[in-house]
Amino acid sequence: MKYLLGIDVGTTGTKTLLFRQDGLLCGHAYKAYKTSNPRLGFCEQDPNDWWQAVTETVRRVAGTREIAENVSGISLSVQGGTLVPVDAEFSPVRPAIVWNDVRCQRERDEWLSSFGTDGTMYRRTGWHLLPGLNAMQIRHMRREEPELFEKTAMFLSVPDYISYKMTGIPALDLSNIGINQLGDITKGQYDPEILAFAGITRERLAGIIPSGRPVGRLCTRAAEELGLTPDAVFVSGAHDQYAVALGAGACRAGDILIGSGTCWVITCIGDRPDFSSGLSQSAAAVPGKWGSLWSLSSGGVCLEWLRKNIMSGEISFAELDREASSRKAAEDGLFFFPFSGRATLEKSFQKGSFLGLDLAHDRFHMARAVMEGVAFQITWMLDAFRLHSPESGLKLAGGASKSSLWSHMTADISGLPVRIPEVADLACVGAAILAGVGSGIYSSAEEGCKALCVGEKTILPDPGRAQLYKPLLEEYKRCAEILGSAYRC
């Protein structure tokens, strides 16, 4: 019996899941690491921490000789847009600059000055111009850290850095070239004009290999550190949102997944990129498929903020769920607008607000309002995906899927069935499917999805509640536009 390893190298930690080729989950492990903020707006990590987390979690799940000798494939789900400059020996010359770092405002302004709008960047990379992704990071490094810039032999990101550690070959998957903002996603190659703006040549970047294709077998050093044999094949992985989608079985055009964590992310699978939507576009983990993506960056953090700062952290999520179920919020005129919420589909604001608080409301009314507010926002954002309206409903993964109240609320407000996967770590499942495809265990991503099939339950919208929420959603939108005017967004 062969085994597969799916590894999720995230922003806060690394998770590793071990599967038997017939789909049996045999082990899971997690290791967190630190993020440093040396200056306001700066966000950095030590790439060595990622590799240490990978080796430790792999050893914990594949620690027996029988398993270690029969691991067939390994693949990754990764945070995208994080820069890892390395020297000629592939040692980092500085801490990695994480995707949510915003130090590159000047470089962003310079791009706009040269190209007029961010449309050029969006049409090529599928991602709107941001102040913290690789193209801007490299240009900033060239200006502010010239000695380190010259010392850098290659500018890598998380997938190609871990690929090198695994095989000695730095390989970047197609789903990550867009968020790195260095490549043209429709051509599947680096963009010369963007590279010229960043100040580098193609030779200082990793090779591009589609998700699910083998990169190479483990090098001797990696095999020793991981406790595996050199026969194991390392396979090109995927950006975390597309690994999650694959792990949830969202591999057909029209499938929509909502990932609910600190950030809520809507991912829709399609047959072609849809630049007219204005949504982030990437090659999906499934060959020939594309993904549209939109994030509500403060989705889950709103409820955690309330629990810690208003409820003093003494309330468990289970108790919060139970008590909020017996309260009314929007029905009584109490609305919450999330941090980074929408004023319209085109405009957002960075302030959170309660509207309609009454002396009769307590902390659990506020909790229900927060949950409804996030569900209202997500449903509103789904309007941008209506050309891909799912026939079978939405898949909801992550923290909110563990809340009966939030899950039912999402179904009632959206008016769509909500399907809840039974496995939480879907990014690792998606990575394991890619590992199986690239190592020859499965003939396709679809076959891998069937083999590693994640069970799910379906929540149907309650007709009465869905009808009740329709005018409340419209009132929510109306109030959001008024708030947007107040915030001058």
Side-chain angles (χ1 to χ4, degrees), residues 115 121 146 179 185 208 212 225 268 272 304 308 385 464-465:
F115 294 93
M121 181 66 79
I179 191 173
I185 60 171
I208 300 171
E225 293 187 58
C268 176
R272 62 189 64 84
E304 178 65 7
K308 284 188 175 180
F385 296 85
R465 298 292 303 170

Side-chain angles (χ1 to χ4, degrees), residues 239-258:
H239 180 256
D240 51 15
Q241 295 304 325
Y242 295 103
V244 168
L246 180 59
C251 54
R252 302 170 303 169
D255 285 343
I256 291 183
L257 174 76
I258 300 175

Side-chain angles (χ1 to χ4, degrees), residues 364-440:
F364 296 111
H365 289 94
M366 296 173 72
R368 185 182 185 101
V370 168
M371 298 166 85
E372 286 179 337
V374 172
F376 282 138
Q377 286 282 353
I378 287 293
T379 299
W380 193 4
M381 291 162 65
L382 281 171
D383 287 346
F385 296 85
R386 287 310 182 194
L387 291 176
H388 313 285
S389 184
E391 298 177 0
S392 55
L394 310 169
K395 292 177 183 283
L396 177 65
S401 68
K402 302 173 186 177
S403 164
S404 175
L405 175 60
W406 221 346
S407 299
H408 281 83
M409 191 182 288
T410 302
D412 294 340
I413 291 175
S414 69
L416 294 168
V418 170
R419 297 155 62 192
I420 310 292
E422 295 176 354
V423 175
D425 299 320
L426 291 172
C428 295
V429 178
I433 291 170
L434 294 174
V437 173
S439 62

Side-chain angles (χ1 to χ4, degrees), residues 84-88 90-95 141 148-149 151-153 155:
V84 190
V86 298
D87 62 19
F90 286 86
S91 296
V93 303
R94 68 169 330 280
M141 188 177 171
L148 293 179
F149 180 86
K151 186 178 179 182
T152 300
F155 293 91

Side-chain angles (χ1 to χ4, degrees), residues 271-349:
D271 289 322
R272 62 189 64 84
D274 181 13
F275 293 105
S276 65
S277 69
L279 305 173
S280 297
Q281 305 294 312
S282 292
V286 179
K289 299 300 179 184
W290 294 82
S292 297
L293 183 151
W294 199 2
S295 301
L296 177 63
S297 61
S298 64
V301 78
C302 293
L303 192 62
E304 178 65 7
W305 165 83
L306 182 82
R307 192 178 73 90
K308 284 188 175 180
N309 295 289
I310 305 300
M311 299 179 169
S312 303
E314 79 276 12
I315 302 295
S316 69
F317 283 109
E319 183 180 357
L320 188 154
D321 209 47
R322 183 174 62 253
E323 292 293 335
S325 296
S326 66
R327 306 298 200 276
K328 293 181 179 179
E331 289 180 68
D332 283 345
L334 175 60
F335 290 92
F336 174 75
F337 301 85
F339 310 98
S340 74
R342 314 304 303 175
T344 66
L345 279 177
E346 293 77 30
K347 297 180 180 180
S348 64
F349 45 82

